[in-house]
């Protein structure tokens, strides 16, 4: 049975009883899919206990309509977490997690300014700030992040190093649907036609001779392209189909 904590003081009180045990942490914004489940599974293999958080973090949405439409499936999420045998679910209220009203923020000045950061101003400040809060709250032994959000992962690794955060940051490989589309909570917002087309994105990203060739091909196929760039030894991209933004890297 998963124990659910909505109150931060209640979690903090309880956390002290886990002294001497290892805790794995999987932060999420809910709308859970198999990619999240693979992070939970890894955490359970490597730790005595696993805590999952569900918090749709408003400060990382630069577009209010994206925040409004972000999929929320709390009942299904809890059932999945229970079925995975996860010990703890932390789902704090916005007002409790941001009691400071976001007066205090973490910002990174270099890598957060490119790729998704260039297209979503303030996004990574919101991500880093909430992840720091959650890592401090959980004081986990290990925390698990998917490589689909590669820029996010690098920035979180960098923050953990910069601030001497004792939690080990564990990168986990991207899980893909049968047609190659990277699993994402946003996929469920695609229309059936766009869902079919979306499978071209990882294929073109992988098979094009150059970023420009990938951009041209994706535009030809009806995608709007935010960027396709090569950095950090990878080719990374962000595209839009209708109102849905997809990211991936190969
Ligand atoms: O990757 C996500 O789902 C979010 O950015 C995270 C890490 C849970 C922070 O809100």
């Amino acid at each position: 049975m998963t124990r659910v904590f909505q109150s931060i003081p209640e979690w903090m009180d309880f956390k002290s009883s886990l002294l001497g045990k290892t805790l794995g942490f999987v932060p999420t914004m809910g709308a859970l899919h198999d990619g999240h489940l693979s992070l939970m599974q890894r955490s359970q293999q490597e730790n005595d206990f696993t805590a999952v958080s569900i918090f749709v973090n408003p400060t990382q949405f630069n577009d209010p309509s994206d925040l409004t439409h972000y999929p929320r499936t709390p009942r299904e999420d809890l059932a999945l977490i229970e079925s995975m045998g996860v010990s703890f679910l932390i789902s704090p209220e916005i007002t409790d997690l941001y009691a400071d009203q976001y007066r205090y923020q973490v910002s990174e000045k270099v890598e957060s300014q490119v790729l998704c950061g260039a297209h979503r101003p303030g996004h990574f400040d919101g991500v880093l700030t909430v992840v720091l809060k959650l890592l401090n709250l959980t004081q986990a032994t290990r925390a698990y992040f998917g490589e689909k959000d590669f820029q996010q992962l690098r920035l979180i690794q960098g923050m953990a190093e910069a601030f001497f955060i004792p939690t080990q940051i564990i990168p986990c490989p991207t899980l893909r649907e049968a047609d190659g589309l990277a699993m994402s909570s946003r996929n469920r917002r695609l229309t059936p036609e766009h869902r079919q087309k979306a499978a071209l994105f990882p294929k073109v990203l992988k098979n094009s001779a150059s970023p420009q060739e990938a951009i041209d091909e994706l535009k030809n196929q009806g995608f709007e392209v935010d960027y396709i760039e090569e950095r950090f030894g990878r080719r990374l991209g962000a595209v839009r189909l209708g109102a849905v933004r997809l990211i991936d890297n190969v």
Side-chain angles (χ1 to χ4, degrees):
M1 186 72 180
T2 304
R3 187 159 168 189
V4 182
F5 294 87
Q6 276 180 316
S7 145
I8 291 177
E10 199 187 313
W11 162 257
M12 296 293 261
D13 252 19
F14 174 79
K15 167 76 183 89
S16 51
S17 71
L18 300 180
L19 210 68
K21 302 283 186 194
T22 55
L23 178 68
F25 176 46
V26 181
T28 81
M29 298 206 296
L32 302 178
H33 50 70
D34 285 353
H36 294 117
L37 302 192
S38 74
L39 304 184
M40 293 178 208
Q41 200 169 31
R42 171 104 186 253
S43 169
Q44 283 179 299
Q45 283 162 4
E46 297 179 352
N47 302 282
D48 296 324
F49 295 103
T50 291
V52 172
S53 66
I54 296 184
F55 180 71
V56 182
N57 174 35
T59 65
Q60 71 187 74
F61 287 83
N62 55 308
D63 170 3
S65 142
D66 190 25
L67 173 59
T68 312
H69 292 106
Y70 197 81
R72 289 167 174 85
T73 55
R75 244 176 307 144
E76 291 88 334
D77 290 348
L78 180 59
L80 280 171
I81 288 170
E82 297 249 3
S83 75
M84 295 292 293
V86 164
S87 307
F88 316 121
L89 168 62
I90 305 169
S91 59
E93 300 290 339
I94 295 175
T95 44
D96 295 337
L97 203 56
Y98 285 104
D100 65 326
Q101 294 176 352
Y102 200 37
R103 286 192 300 125
Y104 291 86
Q105 304 180 9
V106 182
S107 61
E108 192 276 352
K109 302 287 187 200
V110 179
E111 281 191 13
S112 69
Q113 305 302 306
V114 299
L115 305 172
C116 284
H119 290 265
R120 303 183 67 190
H123 167 66
F124 287 118
D125 295 353
V127 170
L128 292 177
T129 303
V130 81
V131 170
L132 181 63
K133 284 173 186 272
L134 293 168
L135 290 176
N136 279 337
L137 281 175
T138 53
Q139 294 169 34
T141 320
R142 302 179 184 86
Y144 297 82
F145 294 88
E147 287 183 342
K148 182 185 69 84
D149 300 295
F150 195 75
Q151 189 178 12
Q152 164 175 289
L153 168 65
R154 274 183 70 95
L155 288 164
I156 291 169
Q157 285 173 319
M159 175 179 73
E161 238 179 83
F163 292 117
F164 308 105
I165 295 170
T167 304
Q168 206 185 328
I169 306 299
I170 313 276
C172 300
T174 303
L175 248 66
R176 295 183 180 278
E177 304 289 353
D179 62 3
L181 178 65
M183 289 188 188
S184 164
S185 304
R186 292 174 195 275
N187 293 352
R188 66 186 81 197
R189 290 189 52 218
L190 292 164
T191 62
E193 188 202 334
H194 283 163
R195 171 60 193 84
Q196 219 180 359
K197 187 172 279 192
L200 287 171
F201 176 35
K203 290 189 179 75
V204 172
L205 200 57
K206 193 165 157 204
N207 298 327
S208 302
S210 66
Q212 193 54 53
E213 189 182 294
I215 292 171
D216 295 342
E217 175 63 12
L218 287 164
K219 282 186 175 166
N220 273 341
Q221 297 287 348
F223 290 80
E224 275 181 64
V225 180
D226 269 7
Y227 65 82
I228 308 284
E229 285 184 39
E230 288 172 355
R231 282 180 194 263
F232 320 128
R234 301 219 165 194
R235 184 178 289 168
L236 307 101
V239 296
R240 291 168 198 273
L241 282 172
V244 182
R245 187 172 187 274
L246 302 173
I247 63 171
D248 203 347
N249 64 90
V250 293

